[in-house]
């Protein structure tokens, strides 16, 4: 059987700890299903700045482009906040751009075992939360030109440009419509077309693209209203498709209301080539190195990677099943801890998942 070449990018903060647990799960998949994964690490973010002065060394780009799939921990931290010219985040933005990963898929789902951790009122939670945010990732205001800082009439001015081309909008809309077909068949496109010209083009192109998906129901919502509706009644959403900046904000909101941001995986995908998988949460520098982080979002990112990029459905299902069992057994890291449950650290949580996974295959 062909070995899979997985590039690991641990990054900063809790990144190395959670990636270590993901690696153990990959090994367990190898053991149970007879697969071989070559998982080697590359530098990104602050760790790469410290080692090479560059948040995204060329060697990292080459290794990622040449891999079957990439798994990232997290980047950033206060240590690198002082120099605005070489920020760790540039490593993440750069690798997305270099790999052509224009579609960021972030499912925000409530785990039934974690209902008590959900931030919303019980009658709202009862209706269920299962939203998938499809965020455009290589365009919009994150990359638009002109951008920069200058001095005009004696005062400092900063500016960025939100720009979307028809082709960029169409391809992300296609990802959203295609995803909706495997779910409840509804897409809500989020924009600010009442104010922004770029949003009017966005809305037109999404509406045109929808004609090729007559079986999918399309609605439009302004971003301010969407932010409100997500907390008021998330059950009204199935797939949300939106631009880079709005998607950054709404995907954090969608995931945190579930109470389990430490649980949620994400995929960044291009038209072809390897996908990049990462937990939704950040580098959590406050708990880094203390074996306190929740590795489940990263472990579930491994499952998403096996499913979407490597086509290993059975293996992916088995990982998700193992995570579910561990939650049912009552093991919790600090972020999802509730009374009456068993508090565990990052490594121990990894051990429980690996044990459940191997036990099911025995
Ligand atoms: C995310 C993060 C990144 C982003 C940062 C770290 C550059 O917030 O993946 O959502 O804004 O895209
Ligand atoms: Mg973000």
């Amino acid at each position: 059987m062909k070995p899979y070449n997985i590039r690991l990018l641990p990054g900063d903060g809790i990144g190395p700890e959670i990636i270590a647990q993901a690696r153990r799960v990959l090994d367990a998949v190898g053991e149970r299903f007879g697969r071989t994964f070559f998982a080697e690490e590359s530098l990104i973010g602050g760790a790469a700045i410290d080692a090479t002065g560059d948040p995204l060394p060329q060697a990292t780009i080459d290794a990622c482009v040449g891999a079957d799939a990439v798994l990232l921990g997290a980047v950033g931290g206060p240590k690198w906040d002082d120099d605005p010219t070489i920020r760790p985040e540039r490593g993440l933005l750069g690798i997305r751009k270099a790999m052509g990963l224009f579609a960021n898929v972030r499912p925000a789902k409530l785990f039934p075992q974690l209902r008590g951790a959900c931030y919303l009122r019980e009658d709202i939670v009862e209706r269920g939360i299962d939203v998938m945010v499809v965020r455009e990732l290589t365009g919009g205001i994150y990359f638009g030109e002109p951008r920069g800082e200058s001095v005009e009439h004696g005062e400092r001015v900063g500016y960025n440009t939100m720009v979307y081309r028809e082709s960029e909008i169409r391809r992300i809309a296609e990802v959203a419509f295609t995803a909706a077909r495997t779910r409840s068949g509804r897409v809500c496109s989020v924009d600010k077309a009442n104010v922004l010209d770029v949003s009017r083009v966005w809305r037109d192109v999404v509406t045109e693209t929808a004609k090729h998906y007559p079986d999918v129901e399309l609605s439009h919502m302004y971003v301010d209203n969407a932010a409100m509706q997500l907390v008021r009644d998330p059950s009204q959403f199935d797939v949300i498709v939106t631009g880079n900046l709005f998607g950054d904000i709404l995907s954090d909101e969608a995931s945190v209301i579930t109470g389990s941001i430490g649980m949620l995986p994400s995929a960044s995908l291009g038209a072809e080539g390897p996908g990049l998988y990462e937990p939704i949460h950040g580098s959590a520098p406050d708990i880094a190195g203390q074996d306190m982080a929740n590795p489940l979002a990263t472990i579930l990112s491994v499952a998403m990677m096996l499913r979407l990029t490597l086509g290993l459905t059975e293996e992916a299902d088995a990982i998700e099943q193992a995570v579910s069992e561990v939650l049912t057994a009552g093991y919790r890291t600090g972020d999802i801890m509730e009374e009456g449950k068993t508090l565990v650290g990052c490594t121990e949580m990894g051990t429980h998942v690996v044990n459940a996974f191997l036990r099911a295959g025995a």
Side-chain angles (χ1 to χ4, degrees):
M1 227 173 280
K2 124 179 186 327
Y4 295 96
N5 168 9
I6 311 295
R7 184 54 52 168
L8 301 176
L9 305 177
D12 309 319
I14 58 171
E17 302 162 51
I18 55 181
I19 288 289
Q21 301 314 311
R23 185 194 272 283
R24 294 176 66 200
V25 170
L26 268 180
D27 290 342
V29 174
E31 189 179 327
R32 174 168 159 193
F33 288 89
R35 310 248 172 230
T36 310
F37 297 97
F38 291 131
E40 279 177 81
E41 297 186 359
S42 290
L43 292 166
I44 194 166
I49 294 175
D50 289 350
T52 72
D54 180 352
L56 184 62
Q58 187 60 43
T60 297
I61 299 179
D62 296 342
C64 289
V65 170
D68 290 315
V70 181
L71 184 70
L72 178 118
V75 299
K79 180 175 176 198
W80 304 280
D81 274 349
D82 295 336
D83 183 352
T85 59
I86 40 166
R87 295 193 55 95
E89 288 80 0
R90 284 201 170 255
L92 184 53
L93 298 177
I95 196 71
R96 288 171 180 168
K97 197 72 172 175
M99 295 174 68
L101 308 171
F102 68 86
N104 188 221
V105 179
R106 299 187 173 191
K109 204 170 120 177
L110 187 72
F111 288 79
Q113 298 97 326
L114 300 181
R115 275 170 85 143
C118 181
Y119 288 106
L120 301 183
R121 244 177 24 219
E122 214 168 299
D123 58 308
I124 302 174
V125 180
E126 229 139 70
R127 287 174 234 157
I129 306 179
D130 186 0
V131 185
M132 176 179 269
V133 180
V134 176
R135 166 190 175 193
E136 199 291 326
L137 204 57
T138 50
I141 196 163
Y142 271 54
F143 293 94
E145 301 280 347
R147 62 186 297 165
E149 289 174 46
S150 62
V151 177
E152 283 172 30
H153 309 295
E155 64 174 344
R156 286 166 299 158
V157 182
Y159 51 94
N160 290 85
T161 308
M162 193 184 284
V163 51
Y164 269 115
R165 286 164 205 292
E166 209 176 326
S167 52
E168 291 174 310
I169 302 165
R170 197 173 303 113
R171 65 183 183 179
I172 193 72
E174 284 166 356
V175 171
F177 289 124
T178 306
R181 279 186 166 157
T182 68
R183 301 168 47 93
S184 309
R186 290 175 295 127
V187 170
C188 178
S189 172
V190 171
D191 62 37
K192 189 70 185 173
N194 50 345
V195 177
L196 303 177
D197 302 273
V198 56
S199 281
R200 281 192 286 274
V201 175
W202 176 280
R203 194 174 275 223
D204 280 353
V205 176
V206 171
T207 305
E208 281 162 29
T209 311
K211 298 204 175 95
H212 302 284
Y213 301 82
D215 49 320
V216 177
E217 184 191 313
L218 171 67
S219 60
H220 301 274
M221 206 179 269
Y222 298 137
V223 62
D224 49 349
N225 187 29
M228 183 181 84
Q229 295 298 336
L230 257 177
V231 244
R232 205 187 61 83
D233 179 17
S235 75
Q236 68 186 288
F237 295 103
D238 180 20
V239 175
I240 291 178
V241 64
T242 189
N244 207 341
L245 180 62
F246 300 158
D248 179 44
I249 299 163
L250 293 182
S251 60
D252 264 27
E253 187 190 354
S255 53
V256 82
I257 55 174
T258 65
S260 28
I261 191 161
M263 298 291 304
L264 299 171
S266 76
S268 302
L269 307 168
E272 52 185 17
L276 182 146
Y277 295 80
E278 60 180 305
I280 284 189
H281 61 73
S283 59
D286 52 321
I287 58 163
Q290 297 171 49
D291 196 32
M292 284 170 70
N294 184 347
L296 295 179
T298 315
I299 290 171
L300 291 169
S301 298
V302 172
M304 210 174 175
M305 172 177 90
L306 297 187
R307 188 188 309 284
L308 297 183
T309 294
L310 306 183
L312 303 176
T313 313
E314 204 188 327
E315 290 83 341
D317 287 345
I319 295 175
E320 287 164 359
Q321 180 60 36
V323 168
S324 181
E325 269 173 41
V326 167
L327 291 177
T328 303
Y331 296 111
R332 301 284 187 274
T333 43
D335 58 314
I336 51 173
M337 183 60 190
E338 283 176 79
E339 221 189 287
K341 305 295 177 194
T342 312
L343 182 67
V344 296
C346 183
T347 313
E348 196 183 341
M349 186 60 111
T351 303
H352 286 300
V353 173
V354 166
N355 289 347
F357 181 87
L358 292 177
R359 214 181 307 123

